Amino acid sequence: MTNRTKLAELDAVIKHAETYEEYKEACEAHDELSGAEEWKAKDACKEYDYRLIRKRVQRIKLARSRGDALGLMSILHEGIHGNLGNIANAALKNQSKIGTKHLIQEFIDQVCESLDFIYHADESEIDFYEKLSFFDETAHAFGQSCLMLSGGAGLGFFHGGVVKSLSEHDLLPDVISGASAGSIIASLIATRTNDELIEALEPQNIYEKFSQWRLWQGFGRNSLLDSTNLENALIELFDVTTFEEAYKKTGKHVTVTVSPSDLHQYSRLLNAKTSPNAVITQAVRASCAIPLVFSPVQLKAKNQAGDIVPYIPNRRFADGSLMADMPFKQLARLYGVNHSIVSQTNPIAVPFLSRDKKDTRGLFALTWRHMANITKLNSIYAFDVLEGAISNKGAKLGIHKIRSIIDQQYVGDINILPKRGFASLKHILANPSLRSIEKLIRNAERATWSQIDLIKRDTQISKTFSKYLKLLKAREERVLTQHNGLRAVPDQKSA
């Protein structure tokens, strides 16, 4: 059997693998046979600064061999980021089925082991508050990843398989956003422990809640679809939980995006920071309010007495994906995010996005991207002119929404997409069957497998920072609580 035949057989195994373990094993065998393993073992490569990375690894190893925690802190303080020496170059991802240059992986491992070394360093050498300051400042400078779940109506159940796969591999970021259908899955993450989340994402459970989300009510009403079943499902899932209550339970920074239903308003990001008392159920219902399909809604909040009251009175909100499908810039400001994982099911974007890892730096690809950017800018300009020329309020609002759709960015650093074609798009406005949900989730898991190794590598350092920073802050809280408790005890002599 020739190498080409064996590689073709392995490609078939990769395509039809039933488990991630089977997929990974076939990818590793493919890399061994194709010569990709030899490529990984060679440091030299024009796609990244291997000399810089090799020197940094040597310095880290030397400091660790000397037990020099302060030296390690200095090395990491000098400049550590996810693309040091261009190690995140997309071209490096095209050379193998799985994994990357051994030198790059060694650098990442050495950084994580150094963080472990610093955390456990003797506090006679580095005291507690020096450690806390180092982890806090350096983690903020390094940044963290976010997961963004797009809109997509019925196709949004695809997100369930993505989240399930990431959760099973302990790769769910702490920062998550959801728009429209994505807000449902994001809110499940916000309100459930890991075990509860996996159970909630079982196809049977999703089917029981959303099998009749689409109820036709006809023309001449304030919306084409009756939202009763959708609202009942959301109430059953989230009750009157607020964003702050959800964060206290799971520690996940989950954002739901909504768009205004009138002019002169901007999209809003609802989360434990910006709107801690807002009720998640109404936020999700608003984010799912596709114009004309579902009516816009007023948000609700929980006051100090525990009563449910209007939030932002006299305003109604609609589909979050219209103006903030992928709110990366806002998340960057709020949470120090600088790396994004996107599960994209928005029908406006999905048909046009690439599903492979091929390098797209050729002349044709560059020309295509340049022409697409010019077309986008010209379209935005045309809609700005049109909006200014029209006086009708309803027409202005419609033009403004279309402009917002065109002006958005629909991709991230890592993109997980459903299969292209009618088989996927037919889910958008259809009531699902149990079989269709099972198929969507299964396809999503498969689509996620090809990104698992990359996500693990891209988030390894930030997750290590997060782990030790949480431990240090928890310890600080215990010390402060104990200290305040002692101060509250009356002095025995003065009593």
Side-chain angles (χ1 to χ4, degrees):
M1 186 182 295
T2 65
N3 274 9
R4 181 175 296 181
T5 303
K6 290 178 181 177
L7 288 172
E9 288 182 354
L10 287 170
D11 281 329
V13 173
I14 290 168
K15 184 177 180 180
H16 300 291
E18 292 296 320
T19 66
Y20 177 70
E21 288 68 28
E22 183 183 353
Y23 169 87
K24 181 180 178 183
E25 185 178 335
C27 286
E28 290 171 342
H30 193 287
D31 284 351
E32 189 69 44
L33 194 60
S34 69
E37 276 302 323
E38 295 177 15
W39 173 83
K40 294 177 197 176
K42 295 177 182 176
D43 293 351
C45 178
K46 66 179 182 179
E47 308 296 351
Y48 76 114
D49 190 343
Y50 67 92
R51 293 181 181 87
L52 171 66
I53 301 303
R54 188 158 59 194
K55 184 66 175 177
R56 191 60 60 93
V57 168
Q58 290 169 352
R59 290 180 64 198
I60 290 173
K61 284 183 173 180
L62 181 60
R64 286 183 59 205
S65 69
R66 293 173 174 173
D68 186 3
L70 287 170
L72 284 173
M73 289 169 65
S74 177
I75 293 169
L76 298 185
H77 257 314
E78 279 179 12
I80 172 177
H81 54 84
N83 198 23
L84 182 69
N86 210 24
I87 61 174
N89 186 352
L92 292 166
K93 304 169 188 175
N94 304 324
Q95 305 298 325
S96 61
K97 292 290 185 181
I98 198 167
T100 188
K101 288 285 188 180
H102 293 170
L103 178 61
I104 293 175
Q105 187 61 58
E106 184 182 14
F107 167 69
I108 294 169
D109 291 339
Q110 286 292 331
V111 169
C112 292
E113 289 169 18
S114 296
L115 294 175
D116 179 78
F117 187 89
I118 293 165
Y119 174 79
H120 289 102
D122 192 320
E123 293 191 357
S124 64
E125 180 184 358
I126 305 173
D127 71 31
F128 170 77
Y129 283 102
E130 280 185 285
K131 289 181 183 179
L132 179 59
S133 177
F134 165 79
F135 276 95
D136 198 8
E137 293 171 4
T138 316
H140 181 75
F142 185 81
Q144 61 178 322
S145 297
C146 67
L147 171 65
M148 296 188 288
L149 308 176
S150 76
L155 188 55
F157 297 122
F158 176 90
H159 299 316
V162 174
V163 169
K164 182 171 180 284
S165 187
L166 292 178
S167 182
E168 288 173 344
H169 290 87
D170 191 28
L171 292 174
L172 265 183
D174 287 336
V175 179
I176 296 145
S177 75
S180 196
S183 70
I184 299 174
I185 306 300
S187 296
L188 286 174
I189 299 170
T191 56
R192 277 145 176 85
T193 64
N194 192 62
D195 290 342
E196 291 170 343
L197 178 62
I198 296 299
E199 182 180 354
L201 293 175
E202 284 297 319
Q204 181 66 46
N205 292 329
I206 293 176
Y207 175 72
E208 288 174 1
K209 298 291 188 302
F210 297 101
S211 59
Q212 295 296 320
W213 72 271
R214 178 188 178 279
L215 289 177
W216 178 257
Q217 101 176 335
F219 298 99
R221 306 287 184 91
N222 60 354
S223 64
L224 296 176
L225 300 185
D226 183 346
S227 63
T228 302
N229 282 359
L230 175 62
E231 289 173 356
N232 288 340
L234 298 179
I235 291 169
E236 188 176 345
L237 286 172
F238 310 121
D239 196 24
V240 291
T241 304
T242 66
F243 284 95
E244 184 176 49
E245 290 167 347
Y247 174 71
K248 286 179 179 178
K249 177 179 178 179
T250 64
K252 295 293 185 184
H253 298 283
V254 173
T255 289
V256 170
T257 66
V258 296
S259 301
S261 62
D262 53 9
L263 282 170
H264 313 303
Q265 295 290 317
Y266 295 95
S267 61
R268 286 183 178 267
L269 270 62
L270 305 173
N271 53 52
K273 278 193 174 185
T274 63
S275 47
N277 298 321
V279 174
I280 289 176
T281 295
Q282 289 301 105
V284 174
R285 169 63 182 86
S287 193
C288 291
I290 307 167
L292 301 179
V293 177
F294 286 125
S295 59
V297 299
Q298 185 181 70
L299 300 174
K300 302 289 185 181
K302 189 184 290 185
N303 64 19
Q304 289 183 334
D307 300 323
I308 305 302
V309 297
Y311 184 72
I312 315 178
N314 305 319
R315 295 289 182 191
R316 292 184 177 273
F317 293 87
D319 193 335
S321 65
L322 289 177
M323 299 179 75
D325 200 43
M326 302 280 113
F328 181 78
K329 289 181 180 178
Q330 296 97 315
L331 294 178
R333 287 197 300 269
L334 283 168
Y335 301 111
V337 163
N338 60 4
H339 178 267
S340 59
I341 304 162
V342 169
S343 178
Q344 180 56 265
T345 60
N346 194 316
I348 295 169
V350 164
F352 307 103
L353 300 180
S354 174
R355 281 150 180 76
D356 56 41
K357 299 192 297 180
K358 291 179 181 177
D359 190 7
T360 55
R361 294 178 303 166
L363 180 60
F364 176 79
L366 288 171
T367 304
W368 173 260
R369 284 201 298 273
H370 180 65
M371 293 302 296
N373 286 333
I374 291 174
T375 302
K376 179 177 178 178
L377 290 172
N378 286 340
S379 299
I380 292 169
Y381 169 74
F383 277 108
D384 283 342
V385 171
L386 192 58
E387 185 180 341
I390 291 176
S391 58
N392 181 272
K393 186 177 178 181
K396 270 183 175 289
L397 180 61
I399 291 168
H400 186 70
K401 297 293 187 188
I402 295 172
R403 181 201 185 282
S404 297
I405 291 170
I406 295 171
D407 195 26
Q408 291 190 59
Q409 177 74 26
Y410 290 98
V411 295
D413 296 294
I414 297 174
N415 302 290
I416 304 170
L417 310 170
K419 293 179 179 178
R420 186 184 281 119
F422 179 74
S424 290
L425 297 180
K426 70 181 181 182
H427 296 289
I428 291 172
L429 288 177
N431 281 326
S433 65
L434 177 59
R435 184 180 177 188
S436 71
I437 292 175
E438 288 174 340
K439 189 172 182 181
L440 264 181
I441 289 180
R442 186 62 175 159
N443 288 342
E445 289 181 285
R446 289 179 181 275
T448 308
W449 290 348
S450 63
Q451 306 292 344
I452 288 292
D453 178 73
L454 179 58
I455 294 171
K456 188 176 294 184
R457 187 164 59 252
D458 283 0
T459 61
Q460 187 177 337
I461 293 175
S462 62
K463 284 177 72 68
T464 305
F465 267 122
S466 178
K467 170 187 170 183
Y468 289 126
L469 189 54
K470 285 177 181 177
L471 289 172
L472 288 166
K473 287 189 173 181
R475 182 178 163 194
E476 181 187 35
E477 186 176 350
R478 288 194 303 271
V479 170
L480 291 174
T481 301
Q482 184 180 15
H483 178 69
N484 291 335
L486 289 173
R487 288 181 60 188
V489 176
D491 187 350
Q492 295 290 333
K493 292 180 180 179
S494 60

